[in-house]
Amino acid sequence: MAVGVMVLRPLLASVLLLGPAVVARADDPTWTRRIIAPDTALKAAQAALAECRKRGWQAAVTVSDPSGLALVTLRDRFAGWHTLEAATGKARTAASWREATSTLAARLARPDAAERAIVNVPGVVMVGGGMPIEAAGQQVGAIGVSGAPGGDNDDICAKAGIEAVAADIAF
């Protein structure tokens, strides 16, 4: 019986120590969230901009935190002034709705879409180029690209930015 107690004590101690860290309750007064770091956001923005340049597109890129607040914004030399606001709006929209702006725009284009009114919310940009950045199923940020010819092409650059940091943010 002494051997059984010796085996159970460390097990019980580890359960007691790890139990509170593993179990999260809805009534907890705080919570923890991973957020893309500014240096990683810069790397994503640079990769997205490089992809657009490679294709001959002048663009702006914004990478935001999960709430949609910009961490990094880059604009290529000849990208129009409007691309700055559009890229930021796309990142903010993707962060807020937690889905790609192209997917959201397609859904809201249907005449029977129940949530069509969100297109009128100030700052919302409903065209391709905005995507959430996720790691292990958790949104850690968002990216918005504007300036390529069409939202589908903005998506190409945004995906390149996300791919450039995928290994860095994996947890």
mmCIF file of all heavy atoms in Angstrom, residues 90 93-105 107 115 130-132 134 139:
data_model
loop_
_atom_site.group_PDB
_atom_site.id
_atom_site.type_symbol
_atom_site.label_atom_id
_atom_site.label_comp_id
_atom_site.label_asym_id
_atom_site.label_seq_id
_atom_site.Cartn_x
_atom_site.Cartn_y
_atom_site.Cartn_z
ATOM 1 N N LYS A 90 -9.572 46.685 -44.496
ATOM 2 C CA LYS A 90 -9.674 45.243 -44.762
ATOM 3 C C LYS A 90 -9.142 44.428 -43.580
ATOM 4 O O LYS A 90 -9.751 43.429 -43.189
ATOM 5 C CB LYS A 90 -8.907 44.884 -46.034
ATOM 6 C CG LYS A 90 -9.560 45.414 -47.302
ATOM 7 C CD LYS A 90 -8.707 45.095 -48.514
ATOM 8 C CE LYS A 90 -9.264 45.674 -49.784
ATOM 9 N NZ LYS A 90 -8.506 45.234 -50.984
ATOM 10 N N THR A 93 -11.695 44.736 -40.781
ATOM 11 C CA THR A 93 -12.903 43.969 -41.073
ATOM 12 C C THR A 93 -12.655 42.476 -40.893
ATOM 13 O O THR A 93 -13.455 41.773 -40.273
ATOM 14 C CB THR A 93 -13.393 44.278 -42.500
ATOM 15 O OG1 THR A 93 -13.630 45.695 -42.608
ATOM 16 C CG2 THR A 93 -14.666 43.528 -42.829
ATOM 17 N N ALA A 94 -11.535 41.977 -41.430
ATOM 18 C CA ALA A 94 -11.207 40.557 -41.283
ATOM 19 C C ALA A 94 -11.028 40.192 -39.811
ATOM 20 O O ALA A 94 -11.449 39.113 -39.377
ATOM 21 C CB ALA A 94 -9.940 40.221 -42.069
ATOM 22 N N ALA A 95 -10.417 41.083 -39.049
ATOM 23 C CA ALA A 95 -10.221 40.825 -37.617
ATOM 24 C C ALA A 95 -11.561 40.789 -36.895
ATOM 25 O O ALA A 95 -11.826 39.885 -36.093
ATOM 26 C CB ALA A 95 -9.317 41.892 -37.003
ATOM 27 N N SER A 96 -12.410 41.747 -37.180
ATOM 28 C CA SER A 96 -13.673 41.869 -36.472
ATOM 29 C C SER A 96 -14.629 40.718 -36.768
ATOM 30 O O SER A 96 -15.255 40.177 -35.865
ATOM 31 C CB SER A 96 -14.335 43.197 -36.810
ATOM 32 O OG SER A 96 -15.475 43.385 -36.019
ATOM 33 N N TRP A 97 -14.721 40.332 -38.049
ATOM 34 C CA TRP A 97 -15.642 39.253 -38.416
ATOM 35 C C TRP A 97 -14.968 37.897 -38.449
ATOM 36 O O TRP A 97 -15.603 36.882 -38.701
ATOM 37 C CB TRP A 97 -16.345 39.576 -39.736
ATOM 38 C CG TRP A 97 -17.557 40.409 -39.484
ATOM 39 C CD1 TRP A 97 -18.805 39.953 -39.209
ATOM 40 C CD2 TRP A 97 -17.624 41.834 -39.414
ATOM 41 N NE1 TRP A 97 -19.649 41.011 -38.979
ATOM 42 C CE2 TRP A 97 -18.948 42.179 -39.101
ATOM 43 C CE3 TRP A 97 -16.700 42.865 -39.577
ATOM 44 C CZ2 TRP A 97 -19.370 43.492 -38.963
ATOM 45 C CZ3 TRP A 97 -17.122 44.172 -39.440
ATOM 46 C CH2 TRP A 97 -18.440 44.471 -39.131
ATOM 47 N N ARG A 98 -13.662 37.859 -38.214
ATOM 48 C CA ARG A 98 -12.882 36.623 -38.117
ATOM 49 C C ARG A 98 -12.995 35.736 -39.359
ATOM 50 O O ARG A 98 -13.058 34.504 -39.276
ATOM 51 C CB ARG A 98 -13.281 35.828 -36.878
ATOM 52 C CG ARG A 98 -12.942 36.541 -35.594
ATOM 53 C CD ARG A 98 -13.421 35.758 -34.378
ATOM 54 N NE ARG A 98 -13.057 36.412 -33.150
ATOM 55 C CZ ARG A 98 -13.782 37.363 -32.572
ATOM 56 N NH1 ARG A 98 -14.912 37.755 -33.100
ATOM 57 N NH2 ARG A 98 -13.372 37.922 -31.449
ATOM 58 N N GLU A 99 -13.056 36.391 -40.511
ATOM 59 C CA GLU A 99 -13.065 35.656 -41.766
ATOM 60 C C GLU A 99 -12.541 36.548 -42.876
ATOM 61 O O GLU A 99 -12.449 37.766 -42.712
ATOM 62 C CB GLU A 99 -14.446 35.109 -42.102
ATOM 63 C CG GLU A 99 -15.512 36.134 -42.370
ATOM 64 C CD GLU A 99 -16.873 35.502 -42.640
ATOM 65 O OE1 GLU A 99 -16.985 34.680 -43.579
ATOM 66 O OE2 GLU A 99 -17.827 35.822 -41.917
ATOM 67 N N ALA A 100 -12.204 35.930 -43.990
ATOM 68 C CA ALA A 100 -11.670 36.680 -45.126
ATOM 69 C C ALA A 100 -12.722 37.652 -45.643
ATOM 70 O O ALA A 100 -13.911 37.321 -45.705
ATOM 71 C CB ALA A 100 -11.249 35.727 -46.228
ATOM 72 N N THR A 101 -12.276 38.840 -46.007
ATOM 73 C CA THR A 101 -13.222 39.843 -46.513
ATOM 74 C C THR A 101 -13.854 39.395 -47.826
ATOM 75 O O THR A 101 -15.007 39.756 -48.097
ATOM 76 C CB THR A 101 -12.537 41.212 -46.679
ATOM 77 O OG1 THR A 101 -11.371 41.068 -47.493
ATOM 78 C CG2 THR A 101 -12.169 41.815 -45.333
ATOM 79 N N SER A 102 -13.161 38.609 -48.627
ATOM 80 C CA SER A 102 -13.753 38.118 -49.877
ATOM 81 C C SER A 102 -14.916 37.165 -49.580
ATOM 82 O O SER A 102 -15.950 37.213 -50.247
ATOM 83 C CB SER A 102 -12.694 37.444 -50.755
ATOM 84 O OG SER A 102 -12.038 36.417 -50.053
ATOM 85 N N THR A 103 -14.765 36.328 -48.561
ATOM 86 C CA THR A 103 -15.838 35.417 -48.156
ATOM 87 C C THR A 103 -17.024 36.199 -47.605
ATOM 88 O O THR A 103 -18.182 35.934 -47.940
ATOM 89 C CB THR A 103 -15.334 34.429 -47.082
ATOM 90 O OG1 THR A 103 -14.199 33.745 -47.594
ATOM 91 C CG2 THR A 103 -16.402 33.440 -46.674
ATOM 92 N N LEU A 104 -16.718 37.167 -46.778
ATOM 93 C CA LEU A 104 -17.764 38.005 -46.188
ATOM 94 C C LEU A 104 -18.504 38.797 -47.266
ATOM 95 O O LEU A 104 -19.738 38.860 -47.264
ATOM 96 C CB LEU A 104 -17.121 38.947 -45.163
ATOM 97 C CG LEU A 104 -18.010 39.759 -44.250
ATOM 98 C CD1 LEU A 104 -18.966 38.877 -43.461
ATOM 99 C CD2 LEU A 104 -17.155 40.576 -43.294
ATOM 100 N N ALA A 105 -17.765 39.372 -48.206
ATOM 101 C CA ALA A 105 -18.374 40.156 -49.288
ATOM 102 C C ALA A 105 -19.286 39.285 -50.146
ATOM 103 O O ALA A 105 -20.391 39.717 -50.524
ATOM 104 C CB ALA A 105 -17.290 40.805 -50.141
ATOM 105 N N ARG A 107 -20.883 36.578 -49.255
ATOM 106 C CA ARG A 107 -22.075 36.237 -48.476
ATOM 107 C C ARG A 107 -23.038 37.419 -48.413
ATOM 108 O O ARG A 107 -24.245 37.265 -48.545
ATOM 109 C CB ARG A 107 -21.680 35.784 -47.070
ATOM 110 C CG ARG A 107 -22.852 35.226 -46.286
ATOM 111 C CD ARG A 107 -22.461 34.589 -44.976
ATOM 112 N NE ARG A 107 -22.083 35.579 -43.985
ATOM 113 C CZ ARG A 107 -20.886 35.665 -43.420
ATOM 114 N NH1 ARG A 107 -19.938 34.811 -43.730
ATOM 115 N NH2 ARG A 107 -20.632 36.585 -42.526
ATOM 116 N N GLU A 115 -27.408 39.904 -42.685
ATOM 117 C CA GLU A 115 -26.499 40.873 -42.063
ATOM 118 C C GLU A 115 -26.004 41.948 -43.026
ATOM 119 O O GLU A 115 -24.993 42.586 -42.795
ATOM 120 C CB GLU A 115 -25.320 40.118 -41.436
ATOM 121 C CG GLU A 115 -24.646 39.188 -42.392
ATOM 122 C CD GLU A 115 -23.678 38.218 -41.731
ATOM 123 O OE1 GLU A 115 -23.322 38.379 -40.566
ATOM 124 O OE2 GLU A 115 -23.277 37.289 -42.420
ATOM 125 N N GLY A 130 -8.514 41.122 -47.279
ATOM 126 C CA GLY A 130 -8.415 41.065 -45.821
ATOM 127 C C GLY A 130 -8.566 39.631 -45.343
ATOM 128 O O GLY A 130 -9.472 38.930 -45.793
ATOM 129 N N MET A 131 -7.656 39.204 -44.456
ATOM 130 C CA MET A 131 -7.706 37.832 -43.946
ATOM 131 C C MET A 131 -7.282 37.781 -42.494
ATOM 132 O O MET A 131 -6.338 38.473 -42.107
ATOM 133 C CB MET A 131 -6.759 36.932 -44.745
ATOM 134 C CG MET A 131 -7.100 36.810 -46.190
ATOM 135 S SD MET A 131 -5.969 35.673 -46.990
ATOM 136 C CE MET A 131 -6.872 35.412 -48.496
ATOM 137 N N PRO A 132 -7.957 36.947 -41.703
ATOM 138 C CA PRO A 132 -7.485 36.744 -40.337
ATOM 139 C C PRO A 132 -6.181 35.949 -40.360
ATOM 140 O O PRO A 132 -5.944 35.159 -41.280
ATOM 141 C CB PRO A 132 -8.605 35.942 -39.677
ATOM 142 C CG PRO A 132 -9.454 35.423 -40.762
ATOM 143 C CD PRO A 132 -9.166 36.192 -42.006
ATOM 144 N N GLU A 134 -4.257 33.194 -38.205
ATOM 145 C CA GLU A 134 -4.552 32.246 -37.142
ATOM 146 C C GLU A 134 -3.366 31.350 -36.855
ATOM 147 O O GLU A 134 -2.562 31.065 -37.739
ATOM 148 C CB GLU A 134 -5.759 31.388 -37.522
ATOM 149 C CG GLU A 134 -7.032 32.200 -37.681
ATOM 150 C CD GLU A 134 -8.222 31.355 -38.076
ATOM 151 O OE1 GLU A 134 -8.046 30.168 -38.431
ATOM 152 O OE2 GLU A 134 -9.341 31.880 -38.028
ATOM 153 N N GLN A 139 -7.201 33.204 -33.461
ATOM 154 C CA GLN A 139 -6.860 34.375 -34.259
ATOM 155 C C GLN A 139 -5.838 35.221 -33.502
ATOM 156 O O GLN A 139 -6.071 35.622 -32.367
ATOM 157 C CB GLN A 139 -8.098 35.218 -34.552
ATOM 158 C CG GLN A 139 -7.807 36.387 -35.458
ATOM 159 C CD GLN A 139 -9.052 37.190 -35.784
ATOM 160 O OE1 GLN A 139 -10.160 36.728 -35.622
ATOM 161 N NE2 GLN A 139 -8.857 38.412 -36.224
#
